[in-house]
Amino acid sequence: MQPKKVWAVYFSGTGTTEKTVRRIASGLSTALSAPMEVFDFTPPAARQADLSFGPEDLVVLGVPTYAGRVPNVLLPYLTGKVHGAATPAVPVVLFGNRNYDDALMELSQLLTADGFSCVAGGAFVGEHSFSRTLGAGRPSGADVGEMDAFAEHVAAKLVAGDAAPVTVGGCDPIRPYYTPRDRHGEPINILKVKPKTDMALCGGCGLCAARCPMGSIDPADVSQVKGICIKCCACVKGCPSGAKYFDDPGYLYHQHELEEIYARPAENALFI
């Protein structure tokens, strides 16, 4: 099988998923001598129209891992707007140095239900959205080397005429979302937590509103988060003046717990 086009398709709040998906897709494009196209469905407007692929496309589709799963806010788009037609695909998930749990299995199942055949899959480590120390520097140079080798092996598989779907890591049936807990074992609910803005530091550039993948930050008053916050931290990490921050005690406890417990370097997981 020789795909005629390779697609890099991703949702990426802070850029790690984008970097990974683009690198793998670029490697496949080179190895297969096929042009590459990119579709970024991070902006809200990008998730309004249908996205369809045929049997001669190869789609590398990536999302971040949220609480061990595919972000639930993406499910309507992935189940209702993304369509394959016997299209080979490579599901990719990024996780913040804790664990990808069932995210890759769930993404693979979603794509299969959408008409794709998942010929490979990968879970890669990136800096955690909540933290600047957990998974800092990931993807690293070594990670990029693994991405390149992964792309070469997937390309070789397809050139050899092997388009058999693979079973990726995770549980089937998919387990519930990972629940953070406090020191007493009680669940920490951060679903409604939203970032704050230090207006003394804010320069009024509006980047936070422009980069919010949910379109929740009011561009006329960036201190107002009128919609849901998925804690991707695109606004926090993307603010040039450091004006965005979280101060919720439960959120901060969970952040610090993750940084303490999961400081060890996690490993990528590849399936071909």
Side-chain angles (χ1 to χ4, degrees), residues 16-17 20-21 24 60-66 68-70 90-108 120-126 138-139 142-144 146-147 150 154 166-170 265-272:
T16 52
T17 302
T20 302
V21 170
I24 294 169
V60 184
L61 191 148
V63 301
T65 299
Y66 278 21
R69 298 275 301 272
V70 172
V90 180
V92 171
V93 297
L94 266 287
F95 66 102
N97 209 59
R98 184 187 68 80
N99 200 307
Y100 66 95
D101 292 337
D102 295 344
L104 186 58
M105 174 68 76
E106 184 176 21
L107 183 58
S108 178
F124 291 86
V125 182
R138 309 286 297 273
D143 293 323
V144 170
E146 285 194 57
M147 295 172 199
F150 177 63
V154 174
V166 298
T167 299
V168 299
E267 296 182 355
N268 304 315
L270 311 177
F271 305 89
I272 305 171

Side-chain angles (χ1 to χ4, degrees), residues 66-241:
Y66 278 21
R69 298 275 301 272
V70 172
N72 62 355
V73 294
L74 299 182
L75 296 182
Y77 177 71
L78 293 172
T79 59
K81 298 288 189 179
V82 180
H83 312 285
T87 306
V90 180
V92 171
V93 297
L94 266 287
F95 66 102
N97 209 59
R98 184 187 68 80
N99 200 307
Y100 66 95
D101 292 337
D102 295 344
L104 186 58
M105 174 68 76
E106 184 176 21
L107 183 58
S108 178
Q109 291 180 352
L110 288 169
L111 290 175
T112 299
D114 289 340
F116 296 86
S117 177
C118 297
V119 297
F124 291 86
V125 182
E127 182 179 288
H128 198 288
S129 61
F130 290 9
S131 174
R132 296 186 185 276
T133 61
L134 187 61
R138 309 286 297 273
S140 63
D143 293 323
V144 170
E146 285 194 57
M147 295 172 199
D148 292 345
F150 177 63
E152 290 176 4
H153 284 113
V154 174
K157 173 182 177 176
L158 295 175
V159 169
D162 182 2
V166 298
T167 299
V168 299
C171 287
D172 186 10
I174 304 299
R175 293 168 290 184
Y177 290 92
Y178 169 80
T179 302
R181 297 183 182 276
D182 63 20
R183 61 179 57 87
H184 305 295
E186 296 297 323
I188 297 173
N189 188 344
I190 61 173
L191 292 177
K192 295 184 179 181
V193 173
K194 297 180 179 182
K196 301 289 183 64
T197 306
D198 185 340
M199 296 307 294
L201 295 177
C202 178
C205 67
L207 277 175
C208 56
R211 292 179 177 177
C212 177
M214 296 294 104
S216 295
I217 299 176
D218 185 352
D221 180 0
V222 296
S223 67
Q224 299 300 308
V225 182
K226 296 184 176 181
I228 65 171
C229 173
I230 60 172
K231 270 64 75 181
C232 71
C233 290
C235 63
V236 175
K237 292 189 174 181
C239 178
S241 60

Side-chain angles (χ1 to χ4, degrees), residues 33-52:
S33 299
M36 185 180 95
E37 285 202 31
V38 175
F39 187 80
D40 176 6
F41 62 94
T42 311
R47 301 192 294 275
Q48 300 306 307
D50 284 15
L51 184 63
S52 299

